[in-house]
Amino acid sequence: NINIRDYINRQINTLGVEGLDEVTVEDENLTCVICMDKFVEDRQNVVVSLECNHLFHRNCLLPWFQEHQSCPICREEQFQDNL
């Protein structure tokens, strides 16, 4: 049996370092739906894209994945292929 919470936490640790695609956001009006702040280019607010192409601040998304295994917008499962 796989403990799904332990598995997700391992995935989060991996994603936090290298697994999420960092992107540059050109539309200055776009915001992260988790914190509601605008996407700005700086080292503290790295913007990442999920497989469903939704964008978030990395620091907002990782805590979300501790409770959920889906995209905060469309709820597409993010770790299912790796189980």
Side-chain angles (χ1 to χ4, degrees):
N1 282 344
I2 295 175
N3 180 326
I4 195 70
R5 184 163 302 281
D6 288 342
Y7 173 78
I8 290 171
N9 284 332
R10 284 194 308 272
Q11 289 296 319
I12 289 168
N13 290 335
T14 300
L15 292 174
V17 174
E18 59 192 39
L20 296 173
D21 294 329
E22 291 184 15
V23 296
T24 300
V25 177
E26 296 179 13
D27 185 342
E28 61 189 44
N29 294 314
L30 289 179
T31 60
C32 173
V33 298
I34 297 173
C35 71
M36 302 307 293
D37 286 341
K38 290 185 178 183
F39 293 125
V40 294
E41 283 192 53
D42 64 34
R43 297 185 70 89
Q44 292 183 350
N45 293 304
V46 174
V47 179
V48 295
S49 175
L50 296 179
E51 292 179 10
C52 55
N53 295 318
H54 289 124
L55 305 176
F56 307 93
H57 292 121
R58 179 192 308 258
N59 291 339
C60 295
L61 190 59
L62 295 180
W64 169 268
F65 279 149
Q66 290 177 343
E67 298 295 325
H68 311 277
Q69 55 184 347
S70 60
C71 170
I73 295 175
C74 69
R75 303 292 191 202
E76 180 179 307
E77 296 293 322
Q78 296 299 308
F79 303 117
Q80 200 164 2
D81 291 342
N82 298 324
L83 284 178

